[in-house]
Amino acid sequence: MLRTALRNVLAHKARLMMTALAVLLGVAFVAGTLIFSDTVGEAIKKASSKNLKGVAVSVQAVSDDNAPPTGKDGKRSTLLDDKVVDKIRALPGVQSVRRNVAGTATLAGPDGIPIGNGWQNIATNFQPDKGGYDERYPLMEGRGPVAGNEIALDEATAKAAGHKVGDSVRFATDGPVLTKKLVGIVTTDDPQVTAGGSLALFDTATAQKLYLHPGQFDELVVGAAPGTDQQALTGKVREVLPKNRAEATSGTELAAEQSRMIAEQNKSLSQTLLVFAGIALFVGIFIIANTFTMLISQRSREIALLRAVGASRRQVVRSVLAEAGLLGLVSSVIGLGLGTGIAVGLRAVLDANGAGFPDGPVIISPAAVLSSLGVGVVVTVLAAWLPSRKAAKIAPVEALNTVEAPPALRSLVIRNSLGAIVTGLGIAIMFYVTTLKSSDDLPVAMAGSLLTLTGVIILAPLLSRPLVSLAGVVTTRLFGIGGKLAKENALRNPRRTAATASALMIGLTLITGMTVVGNSAQQAMDKMTANGLKADYKVATSTFIGLDTKLSQKVADIPGVEAMAPLRSSGVETGGSYLNLVGTDLAAIGKVARLDFTSGSLASAGANGIAVSQSAAKEHGWQTGDTVDATFMDEKKTKLKVAGIYTDNPVAGEALGATALVDPHMTELKNNELLVKAADGPSEDLEKQIRHALGDSPLLKVQDHADLRKETAGQIDTVLYIVYGLLGMAVIIAVVGVVNTLAMSVFERTREIGMLRAIGLARSGIKQMVRLESVVISLFGAVLGIGVGVFLSWAGGNLVSQGLPTYELLLPWGRLGLFLLIALVVGVLAALWPARRAARLNVLQAIGAQ
């Protein structure tokens, strides 16, 4: 029987090729994901280990948020100083102590766009030895900074900014723009820098002046003498540190922690990719099962002969499963090779979009190989299990007397009944989801979606009759006899039609659902921006460090600025709950934000009055005129009067009050945002003046309505495009299934096609018949997919609306129409080869085929 299985694989190479393609594409996705995760994880791990080379103990200052800074300048303060350094150096086994100052510095690029990636824009101190060399940051050009007006950059940052040694470098930390002379270019293995950040180096005194206070450090890196035990040395270091203001970690523990963090960072991406790989394999199951069902039907006489000469049912099952196993193994091996290419390509694409993964070889672990091969073989064998049992149950005499028996009525009744139950349960859960109010209920929505989709798949043969018949009315009127034959062929075996269409339906269901929710969320964000903001510009910083209040006032004095309202916030505790109170200019806020009061007004707020949103008022049970006991974050208590209640507004937030109310309780007086209203509307010149008034800092974000829409829409579009790309694999596999079904269906109908040719149907008519059958099946899958996707997005959209008050279901008719058009194109393209094959059949040979 094993030889029989091997012979069947070799004898039906063309028929199994498409099935093999479906398997290898799914396996390639799995293998690519696993290899990509292993490769990137190992590269980052090696880069981190290299970055920690020579670190025996890391001593880091513990920030105390409740402790005020020692100076009036608002800079951070630590207890790590030269006295602590001297104590550590005196410990036995200590070879060196590196004194690090940590901060951030953002450089302006040639086009004004900031270089690097937010908080990964590292700034620290260059610490040369007597020869001017810092082994942590090897020099490529020039020298290290030694004076207050000097700076060094890493190679990638200097190249991105277009700087060379001797140039003036403009950058910002958390204050005004600074300019320093570039004296050196270095290399670095720091993963934060290589992963899309930047590096700026200053001499130690300058770094302390920018980020700390003279003589203070953020971290002390201890190097151990050869033969020194790290854990023992770590314990000795801890004994000399300031209590509760510094902590020591061994280099081994630090490396282990970094490895754990790396694994966590890669975990979410890997899990996401594996979910889509699972979808692709799930779609492949329909194709595999369909193919083996058709092959077994075509080989029914052969199976009957095997039974007649003594083969048992179990042996028939084993033979089919062995055939599936061989097919799965070969396909998985090819898929593994293709997956390696996908991993390399995925890494290149992400790097090109700013991911900045460290360099490293491709890692193909035994676990990835075994998992990929195992998944491919197991999926193929499981998909072939039901067809194999069907083959074993056919009596030899029955199989010898017929080529293909119609499905038993009882089995269809059972299937339809089961499908109705599962679909009904799924729909009931989704209607229940429409009553839920928290995003924490997402698992319930996912369970309901899965049940609904599964139920529709089970019911697909029943649904195919009315939908295909309706499509047949159109094809018959437009194409005559060819359209009618296409409809009859699609209805001849509803199970096969349903299985083929279901593969396409799954992909389009997911794509449609994501598109509808994404489009509706995007429109909701646009509406929030349009409804809540009257200002022409929203000004903030990219690193959220805030805007200097003195510079902010200069914006209001720019000619052409009609109104400017600063926004700065302070946390307030009221009755055991937290409230974010925004301080602003109460006279100007109404000119830059749309505030619709349901009761009261800002005019009566006064010194201790606040206006609150409807949601906050409802949550706390407040009404206009109430007096509230409040405790600010500095522990100072006061009584606040509710002067008015306004409809929810993303600009105003939970509560509004005067800046004079908020300012005394802020540790550092800075504005979070500025809302600017122009007298004559936004203009490029006015934007430049706003930037100039705020010091032309690289950290500035001056956004008009179009920029704000682009920012929110861009995030959603990026997610959608990624989803389209990943689910595209499932759609491609579905196309393979249509091609496979049509090709094997043509083989089954060889004699019938010969008869049609003999009675006068031209080759063009045969091609048209096959193409229309393909189009009907594809459109059936598309209609089901789009319909189910719209329903699931409608029911699940209620959870999205809890975080977006302006959310409402909006169908993107253009994209939905595009999906139908794509299904139509899929049908035409999938039929090219089968239609050509059918038209080229020799009439006499076809009529004589068995």
Side-chain angles (χ1 to χ4, degrees):
M1 295 304 291
L2 182 60
R3 285 198 299 271
T4 301
L6 182 59
R7 182 191 64 79
N8 285 331
V9 171
L10 296 176
H12 303 105
K13 294 188 291 292
R15 301 185 212 172
L16 292 173
M17 182 176 64
M18 292 298 178
T19 303
L21 184 58
V23 177
L24 73 87
L25 286 175
V27 170
F29 213 153
V30 174
T33 300
L34 296 176
I35 294 171
F36 169 79
S37 300
D38 291 340
T39 298
V40 171
E42 188 64 25
I44 297 176
K45 189 181 295 184
K46 285 184 177 180
S48 299
S49 299
K50 194 173 183 180
N51 192 46
L52 292 173
K53 184 180 179 181
V55 179
V57 183
S58 172
V59 179
Q60 294 185 331
V62 176
S63 60
D64 186 354
D65 295 333
N66 295 320
T70 57
K72 295 182 180 180
D73 51 9
K75 293 192 177 81
R76 291 179 289 109
S77 181
T78 78
L79 293 184
L80 295 181
D81 53 20
D82 287 326
K83 292 181 181 179
V84 177
V85 172
D86 292 339
K87 290 180 181 179
I88 293 175
R89 276 182 176 153
L91 295 173
V94 174
Q95 188 175 57
S96 63
V97 179
R98 182 180 180 88
R99 305 166 299 166
N100 293 336
V101 178
T104 60
T106 302
L107 277 68
D111 52 2
I113 298 176
I115 300 295
N117 187 15
W119 294 108
Q120 291 178 253
N121 295 337
I122 298 172
T124 186
N125 53 323
F126 188 82
Q127 302 176 55
D129 55 20
K130 293 181 179 179
Y133 181 80
D134 186 343
E135 64 178 8
R136 180 70 182 78
Y137 302 108
L139 283 163
M140 289 187 62
E141 297 180 43
R143 59 176 176 80
V146 294
N149 66 335
E150 296 177 345
I151 188 174
L153 302 174
D154 70 287
E155 181 185 13
T157 302
K159 183 177 180 181
H163 289 316
K164 59 182 184 295
V165 174
D167 288 351
S168 293
V169 177
R170 293 180 70 254
F171 67 95
T173 55
D174 59 353
V177 176
L178 301 173
T179 303
K180 296 186 184 296
K181 182 180 179 181
L182 181 62
V183 297
I185 296 177
V186 304
T187 60
T188 180
D189 296 314
D190 192 318
Q192 291 189 72
V193 179
T194 58
S198 64
L199 173 67
L201 296 172
F202 310 99
D203 67 283
T204 299
T206 301
Q208 289 173 330
K209 182 179 178 181
L210 287 172
Y211 305 108
L212 292 170
H213 293 94
Q216 296 181 353
F217 309 100
D218 288 297
E219 181 187 24
L220 304 177
V221 178
V222 181
T228 303
D229 182 82
Q230 276 194 10
Q231 296 299 330
L233 181 60
T234 303
K236 294 176 183 177
V237 170
R238 284 174 180 155
E239 294 176 359
V240 301
L241 295 179
K243 299 297 182 184
N244 301 323
R245 296 302 301 274
E247 59 183 18
T249 308
S250 69
T252 304
E253 293 172 339
L254 209 58
E257 177 63 17
Q258 285 198 2
S259 296
R260 185 191 65 78
M261 291 176 63
I262 291 166
E264 286 295 321
Q265 290 172 358
N266 290 336
K267 184 178 180 181
S268 58
L269 177 59
S270 299
Q271 287 178 339
T272 301
L273 292 173
L274 283 174
V275 166
F276 287 101
I279 293 170
L281 285 170
F282 184 62
V283 171
I285 287 175
F286 289 91
I287 300 170
I288 299 165
N290 219 11
T291 301
F292 275 93
T293 298
M294 296 169 73
L295 284 174
I296 287 166
S297 178
Q298 293 169 15
R299 299 206 311 258
S300 56
R301 292 178 182 271
E302 176 187 321
I303 294 171
L305 286 172
L306 289 173
R307 293 291 310 281
V309 297
S312 65
R313 289 186 174 182
R314 183 174 296 180
Q315 285 178 312
V316 171
V317 171
R318 288 176 179 174
S319 175
V320 175
L321 294 182
E323 184 179 343
L326 289 172
L327 176 68
L329 181 60
V330 173
S331 303
S332 299
V333 171
I334 301 173
L336 179 62
L338 181 59
T340 304
I342 289 175
V344 174
L346 180 60
R347 181 176 176 181
V349 169
L350 292 176
D351 275 338
N353 285 276
F357 296 121
D359 293 332
V362 176
I363 305 297
I364 305 177
S365 66
V369 174
L370 293 176
S371 298
S372 302
L373 297 180
V375 165
V377 172
V378 169
V379 166
T380 310
V381 171
L382 285 178
W385 182 67
L386 285 177
S388 70
R389 287 178 57 85
K390 179 183 176 182
K393 289 180 179 179
I394 298 175
V397 174
E398 181 184 355
L400 287 171
N401 287 334
T402 183
V403 175
E404 181 180 3
L409 180 60
R410 183 171 177 272
S411 64
L412 286 175
V413 170
I414 293 174
R415 174 171 179 157
N416 293 339
S417 301
L418 177 62
I421 294 172
V422 174
T423 305
L425 180 60
I427 292 174
I429 292 175
M430 294 311 295
F431 273 109
Y432 169 66
V433 167
T434 62
T435 66
L436 300 177
K437 302 297 182 183
S438 172
S439 57
D440 294 336
D441 297 312
L442 183 60
V444 179
M446 293 177 65
S449 300
L450 181 61
L451 282 173
T452 303
L453 184 58
T454 303
V456 173
I457 291 172
I458 298 173
L459 280 177
L462 179 64
L463 297 173
S464 67
R465 291 193 175 277
L467 292 177
V468 171
S469 296
L470 181 62
V473 173
V474 178
T475 58
T476 302
R477 286 188 177 181
L478 293 178
F479 302 99
I481 189 63
K484 185 174 182 180
L485 289 172
K487 180 199 74 172
E488 296 300 328
N489 289 334
L491 290 174
R492 180 178 301 183
N493 191 330
R495 289 188 174 194
R496 181 187 302 168
T497 298
T500 306
S502 294
L504 184 60
M505 182 196 76
I506 294 168
L508 283 178
T509 295
L510 298 174
I511 289 175
T512 299
M514 291 296 296
T515 299
V516 172
V517 172
N519 177 73
S520 300
Q522 181 177 312
Q523 296 296 324
M525 289 182 178
D526 284 349
K527 188 181 294 184
M528 286 176 64
T529 302
N531 293 346
L533 190 65
K534 292 166 65 177
D536 295 298
Y537 290 105
K538 177 181 175 182
V539 185
T541 58
S542 58
T543 53
F544 309 104
I545 60 172
L547 298 160
D548 186 283
T549 54
K550 294 179 180 179
L551 291 177
S552 300
Q553 189 56 41
K554 292 183 178 180
V555 174
D557 299 330
I558 297 174
V561 171
E562 180 180 327
M564 187 279 290
L567 302 179
R568 44 188 184 259
S569 60
S570 176
V572 177
E573 186 180 347
T574 57
S577 60
Y578 180 83
L579 183 74
N580 185 46
L581 176 60
V582 175
T584 187
D585 183 343
L586 297 183
I589 188 64
K591 299 177 182 178
V592 296
R594 288 184 172 86
L595 295 176
D596 299 321
F597 280 84
T598 58
S599 62
S601 67
L602 275 176
S604 58
N608 286 334
I610 61 172
V612 297
S613 67
Q614 278 185 315
S615 297
K618 183 178 180 181
E619 180 182 350
H620 295 87
W622 294 337
Q623 293 182 349
T624 299
D626 287 352
T627 300
V628 179
D629 292 324
T631 303
F632 284 86
M633 299 305 291
D634 58 0
E635 303 299 328
K636 293 181 180 179
K637 298 182 179 181
T638 188
K639 291 185 180 294
L640 301 176
K641 181 181 178 182
V642 179
I645 298 174
Y646 54 85
T647 56
D648 289 6
N649 186 310
V651 176
E654 293 181 302
L656 282 173
T659 53
L661 176 62
V662 173
D663 290 355
H665 308 286
M666 296 182 67
T667 304
E668 187 176 4
L669 197 60
K670 284 192 174 184
N671 292 316
N672 298 334
E673 297 174 357
L674 302 179
L675 302 180
V676 182
K677 175 73 172 175
D680 300 319
S683 67
E684 186 176 342
D685 182 62
L686 181 58
E687 182 177 338
K688 288 181 180 178
Q689 291 186 60
I690 293 173
R691 288 185 174 276
H692 182 69
L694 294 171
D696 285 325
S697 173
L699 302 176
L700 281 177
K701 290 173 63 178
V702 182
Q703 298 172 295
D704 58 18
H705 283 248
D707 294 328
L708 292 170
R709 286 193 182 97
K710 184 178 179 181
E711 185 176 64
T712 55
Q715 295 170 353
I716 295 174
D717 283 343
T718 298
V719 173
L720 285 179
Y721 291 146
I722 292 173
V723 171
Y724 289 163
L726 295 174
L727 289 177
M729 181 72 75
V731 175
I732 291 173
I733 294 175
V735 174
V736 170
V738 177
V739 176
N740 207 19
T741 298
L742 287 174
M744 301 187 76
S745 180
V746 167
F747 178 83
E748 280 184 353
R749 302 201 303 266
T750 299
R751 188 172 185 181
E752 176 186 320
I753 292 170
M755 292 295 294
L756 290 172
R757 288 291 313 282
I759 62 176
L761 190 61
R763 286 186 175 182
S764 59
I766 296 293
K767 287 183 179 181
Q768 184 184 75
M769 177 187 71
V770 176
R771 281 197 297 265
L772 289 175
E773 181 182 354
S774 176
V775 168
V776 167
I777 293 174
S778 297
L779 287 178
F780 168 55
V783 169
L784 276 186
I786 293 173
V788 175
V790 169
F791 169 73
L792 295 180
S793 60
W794 167 76
N798 181 65
L799 299 180
V800 181
S801 66
Q802 303 308 312
L804 278 174
T806 55
Y807 179 91
E808 60 179 323
L809 186 73
L810 296 172
L811 297 181
W813 294 107
R815 292 194 184 185
L816 296 183
L818 179 62
F819 296 159
L820 279 174
L821 180 61
I822 290 173
L824 180 65
V825 173
V826 163
V828 173
L829 294 179
L832 288 178
W833 178 62
R836 186 169 178 268
R837 183 176 183 273
R840 295 180 65 185
L841 288 174
N842 182 281
V843 177
L844 294 178
Q845 290 179 354
I847 293 174
Q850 296 295 321

